[in-house]
């Protein structure tokens, strides 16, 4: 009578079935893709907000330069137009800063 405690060549009993393992790998791959897309979204949103701020600051500078143009001293209608433009650009800058702050709070910070 021969007793062999460890039989060689016998397949090991799997703890997790092949289908569960494949499902797990598939979900893991999806998670990796989601993480990569989240990082890309975070990076793109930061670039977008920086570009928005730079654009509004440039618009304010341009309107300010136009307002300081010597032509404004000569033509009252032009002065009124440039004053209205400068006011609009400053308001746009304020609204744009609020928008960027909201994007920061609602999108960029949670994605970190």
């Amino acid at each position: 009578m021969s007793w062999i405690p460890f039989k060689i060549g016998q397949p090991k009993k799997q703890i997790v079935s092949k289908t569960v393992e494949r499902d797990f790998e598939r979900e893991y791959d999806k998670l990796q893709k989601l993480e990569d897309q989240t990082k890309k979204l975070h990076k793109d949103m930061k670039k977008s907000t920086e570009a928005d701020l730079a654009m509004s600051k440039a618009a304010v500078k341009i309107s300010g330069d136009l307002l300081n143009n010597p032509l404004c001293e000569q033509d009252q209608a032009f002065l009124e137009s440039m004053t209205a433009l400068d006011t609009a650009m400053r308001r746009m800058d304020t609204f744009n800063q609020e928008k960027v702050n909201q994007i920061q709070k609602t999108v960029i910070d949670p994605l970190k």
Side-chain angles (χ1 to χ4, degrees):
M1 180 161 164
S2 136
W3 180 75
I4 303 173
F6 304 106
K7 290 187 179 179
I8 299 173
Q10 239 184 7
K12 294 180 182 178
K13 184 176 180 182
Q14 287 189 331
I15 297 172
V16 179
S17 69
K18 292 279 186 190
T19 56
V20 171
E21 191 173 330
R22 268 184 272 143
D23 289 344
F24 177 78
E25 288 175 6
R26 192 175 317 127
E27 294 302 317
Y28 180 77
D29 289 341
K30 286 180 185 178
L31 184 63
Q32 289 299 106
K33 287 177 186 175
L34 179 63
E35 187 174 345
D36 293 342
Q37 291 171 349
T38 302
K39 286 178 184 176
K40 185 178 182 320
L41 176 63
H42 181 262
K43 184 175 136 187
D44 290 345
M45 288 303 293
K46 283 187 82 169
K47 283 183 182 179
S48 173
T49 56
E50 289 169 2
D52 279 348
L53 288 174
M55 183 268 315
S56 65
K57 294 291 181 200
V60 168
K61 174 141 176 43
I62 289 170
S63 67
D65 290 347
L66 286 171
L67 191 59
N68 294 327
N69 189 328
L71 187 58
C72 287
E73 296 172 8
Q74 300 169 1
D75 187 2
Q76 186 62 30
F78 187 68
L79 175 63
E80 290 172 6
S81 299
M82 291 303 104
T83 303
L85 176 66
D86 188 55
T87 302
M89 291 300 110
R90 290 182 190 284
R91 287 184 65 208
M92 181 193 71
D93 183 46
T94 302
F95 290 134
N96 202 24
Q97 287 177 359
E98 288 177 25
K99 179 186 80 170
V100 166
N101 288 338
Q102 290 301 319
I103 289 172
Q104 182 77 30
K105 290 177 190 174
T106 59
V107 178
I108 295 174
D109 289 346
L111 287 178
K112 284 184 180 178

